[in-house]
Amino acid sequence: MSDAEKEASSGLEHVPQAVIRPDKRFGLIWLIPLVAALVGVGLAVKAITEAGPTIRIAFHTAEGLEAGKTKIRYKEVEIGRVEAIRLGKDLKEVTVTAKMVKDIEDYLTENTRFWVVRARVAAGQVSGLSTLFSGAYIGMDPGQPGKPASTFVGLETPPAVTMDTPGGYFNLRAERLGSLDIGSPVYYRQIRVGQVVSYHMTEDGSAVDIRVFINDPHHDRVHKNTRFWDASGLNVSMGADGVKLNTESVMTLLIGGIAYETPTNLKPGDVADERHTFHLYASKDQIDDPQYTERHYIVAYFDEAVRGLKKHAPVEFSGIKVGEVVNIRLEFDQKNLQFRIPVLLAIEPDRIDVKGHMNGDGEAMIAKLIAKGLRAQLRTGSLLTGQMFVNLSMDPEAPRARLMHNGPFAVIPTVPGSTEEIAASLARFAGELEKVPVAQIGRDLSQSLKNINTLVGSEDLVEAIRGLRRSLDQISRFTAGLNQDTAPKIDQALVQLNRTLTEAERAMTAAEHLASGSGPLTYELQTLMKQLAKAAQAISVLADYLQRNPEALVFGKGDPQP
């Protein structure tokens, strides 16, 4: 210790020392960290208890998605948020990790569907335009109840129908998909009531199964005998009343569509359920065709070209369809070195109303008809398309024939088709034309022309023409004379005749007045006649007096003698 320190310590010995006594009371200062700890624990417990599940969704691409920003929505309500986006191990997909709210945990099942909502133009519809400004988000459809799940495979396109859309699903089976696609509309009476939600090929690859969803209440209008048909494109038909163009809507022209209805000739059956599978007809015209199950197969051999004759081409009798073409082949006979074309026809007896009881089977009846003249013939159905069909007709003048067989099928005789008939007619016309003496006709015609030239150039014909011209001149002058001389005199005579008629009319009028007694002369004549009557009466009285008194002539009229 140095001298200074010794001097200082010597001075502190007299300073009183503080006595530390332990305080057994709880300090209020400790409340602050305690409360903070409790709040932290409470927040942690709350965060743990209220935290929703974490899920993972696999997508082919993360286009439009962003970690920490992209939301997951259901009915435009945020139910989660994307926390991380990572590439898959094989780089074929991306895995999106999202934190969901706790309330949605019970709806995350194996049937839950997720998809990215972006601006899309598909199946004639535009959707997701709002995402152009707000950014893409992930949509969710809870789906049907199922087992809880935390990993999902996202859809590349939004589902056509979500769980909360009322309606019903139906299955259709078609030979080909055509222009149909997911989202293609379904029409009922030309009103859009549903859409195609999925399609896939059957296991054996023979058809395509199409699943459609029809909105409520139109799904109740689907009965077990309802018919669906492909309404894609434009249906053009030509009939006696002109050309008809028919389509369900402009949309079906662009993207295709399906329509359905119950045929008017059928009574609606029971309402179909979702397990019922319908046949998808190729066009509306086919839905009215009745379904025939019984078929008789016959073969017709044609020696002519069958270009234009296709499978399913109609077989008609007097313009009425009685069957269709089933198969067309080409056969070669090595022995005779000949080709034949067998055409297999399917005849549907139910299309024919049979009167009376049919004796025997159908083949026996065909044999009778063949003996009576039943024949098959190729005919052109359309000059524009060249499509052909098989026509059955009765030809009583056909050569006699009987029923033959080719394996299990009956063979019906054939007659040349319309094309061959035309060719035969042309051949006959050419044969008749060859018989015409064209050379002789030419020589006669040449001689006739020479004679005509001789006649035209003769002096007699020229002189006759001149005489005719002179006669015409004279007739012309005679006509002019009539116009200048005779016609005025005729006009004067007519004027004089008109005057005479006028005077005669006046005389007749005066005579009528005189006869009617309305003029003064008539009055005077009547007065005179009255006076003459009175004079005649006086003379009569005088004569009577003289007869009784003749002496009155001597003595005059006096008193009567006694």
Side-chain angles (χ1 to χ4, degrees), residues 136 189 207 487 491 519 529 547:
R189 299 186 185 277
D491 291 340
M529 292 301 294
Q547 187 176 3

Side-chain angles (χ1 to χ4, degrees), residues 156-176:
E156 293 304 313
T157 58
V161 181
T162 56
M163 183 192 68
D164 55 348
T165 304
Y169 292 89
F170 300 95
N171 299 318
L172 311 178
R173 177 159 293 185
E175 294 182 357
R176 53 194 297 271

Side-chain angles (χ1 to χ4, degrees), residues 28-217:
L28 296 177
I29 193 64
W30 294 106
L31 290 177
I32 297 174
L34 181 59
V35 170
L38 292 175
V39 171
V41 172
L43 291 176
V45 172
K46 182 179 179 181
I48 294 173
T49 56
E50 294 184 356
T54 300
I55 62 173
R56 291 179 176 81
I57 311 171
F59 290 105
H60 282 290
T61 176
E63 178 184 0
L65 304 181
E66 190 173 355
K69 291 184 178 180
T70 301
K71 302 175 182 177
I72 299 177
R73 295 178 180 177
Y74 175 66
K75 292 187 176 182
E76 301 302 325
V77 176
E78 182 178 346
I79 57 174
R81 186 179 293 266
V82 174
E83 291 185 339
I85 302 175
R86 293 184 178 86
L87 287 171
K89 295 181 179 179
D90 52 1
L91 302 181
K92 292 183 179 179
E93 60 184 18
V94 295
T95 301
V96 175
T97 303
K99 192 71 173 180
M100 307 295 289
V101 299
K102 185 174 179 60
D103 296 340
I104 207 72
E105 183 176 7
D106 296 337
Y107 300 98
L108 297 174
T109 67
E110 56 185 358
N111 297 323
T112 303
R113 298 178 294 181
F114 293 91
W115 66 94
V116 179
V117 179
R118 307 184 185 97
R120 299 175 186 271
V121 179
Q125 293 182 331
V126 179
S127 61
L129 288 180
S130 60
T131 59
L132 294 175
F133 303 98
S134 62
Y137 64 89
I138 297 176
M140 190 196 81
D141 177 36
Q144 299 296 330
K147 298 179 180 178
S150 60
T151 58
F152 305 90
V153 177
L155 303 177
E156 293 304 313
T157 58
V161 181
T162 56
M163 183 192 68
D164 55 348
T165 304
Y169 292 89
F170 300 95
N171 299 318
L172 311 178
R173 177 159 293 185
E175 294 182 357
R176 53 194 297 271
L177 182 62
S179 59
L180 299 176
D181 199 354
I182 295 177
S184 295
V186 178
Y187 290 91
Y188 178 71
R189 299 186 185 277
Q190 295 187 323
I191 298 176
R192 180 168 182 167
V193 296
Q195 57 187 323
V196 176
V197 295
S198 66
Y199 61 84
H200 64 274
M201 190 176 297
T202 57
E203 294 181 357
D204 57 359
S206 60
V208 178
D209 286 336
I210 303 170
R211 190 168 177 81
V212 299
F213 180 83
I214 298 178
N215 300 323
D216 179 76

Side-chain angles (χ1 to χ4, degrees), residues 313-559:
V315 178
E316 298 183 355
F317 186 93
S318 297
I320 299 176
K321 184 178 180 180
V322 295
E324 65 177 10
V325 175
V326 177
N327 193 14
I328 305 172
R329 298 182 60 193
L330 178 63
E331 286 185 358
F332 176 65
D333 186 356
Q334 296 184 5
K335 182 178 180 181
N336 299 320
L337 299 179
Q338 292 181 348
F339 290 93
R340 294 195 309 175
I341 302 175
V343 177
L344 183 61
L345 311 177
I347 306 299
E348 297 164 338
D350 293 338
R351 292 179 178 271
I352 306 171
D353 294 334
V354 180
K355 291 185 176 180
H357 179 69
M358 179 180 289
N359 297 324
D361 56 5
E363 188 169 310
M365 181 57 65
I366 292 176
K368 294 180 180 178
L369 292 174
I370 290 176
K372 197 174 180 179
L374 180 64
R375 300 291 185 270
Q377 183 186 40
L378 281 179
R379 287 191 177 181
T380 302
S382 173
L383 295 176
L384 296 177
T385 61
Q387 296 296 316
M388 305 186 74
F389 66 98
V390 177
N391 182 68
L392 302 180
S393 61
M394 302 298 296
D395 186 3
E397 299 180 356
R400 293 181 60 83
R402 60 186 179 87
L403 179 63
M404 304 291 289
H405 287 84
N406 181 6
F409 305 116
V411 179
I412 181 173
T414 60
V415 293
S418 56
T419 304
E420 284 197 350
E421 287 184 348
I422 294 174
S425 299
L426 292 176
R428 289 194 297 270
F429 176 75
E432 296 295 333
L433 189 61
E434 289 180 353
K435 299 178 183 178
V436 176
V438 179
Q440 183 62 35
I441 293 174
R443 288 192 295 270
D444 294 343
L445 181 61
S446 177
Q447 186 62 36
S448 299
L449 292 175
K450 289 180 180 178
N451 294 337
I452 292 174
N453 290 332
T454 302
L455 178 61
V456 171
S458 65
E459 292 294 335
D460 295 338
L461 181 60
V462 174
E463 185 60 29
I465 294 174
R466 289 175 181 172
L468 178 60
R469 182 175 300 169
R470 287 195 294 271
S471 299
L472 292 176
D473 292 341
Q474 291 176 359
I475 293 172
S476 178
R477 288 194 295 272
F478 176 72
T479 304
L482 287 177
N483 293 334
Q484 294 177 358
D485 301 333
T486 306
K489 292 179 180 180
I490 293 175
D491 291 340
Q492 292 176 1
L494 291 176
V495 172
Q496 186 64 31
L497 180 59
N498 189 22
R499 290 176 182 173
T500 304
L501 291 175
T502 303
E503 291 176 358
E505 185 178 1
R506 290 176 182 174
M508 292 298 293
T509 304
E512 289 178 357
H513 283 290
L514 182 61
S516 63
S518 60
L521 180 59
T522 304
Y523 176 75
E524 292 176 359
L525 288 176
Q526 290 178 353
T527 305
L528 177 60
M529 292 301 294
K530 290 180 180 177
Q531 291 176 356
L532 290 175
K534 289 180 179 178
Q537 185 177 7
I539 293 172
S540 177
V541 172
L542 178 59
D544 183 62
Y545 178 79
L546 290 177
Q547 187 176 3
R548 285 186 289 109
N549 300 294
E551 68 275 9
L553 293 174
V554 180
F555 301 105
K557 187 178 180 181
D559 296 334

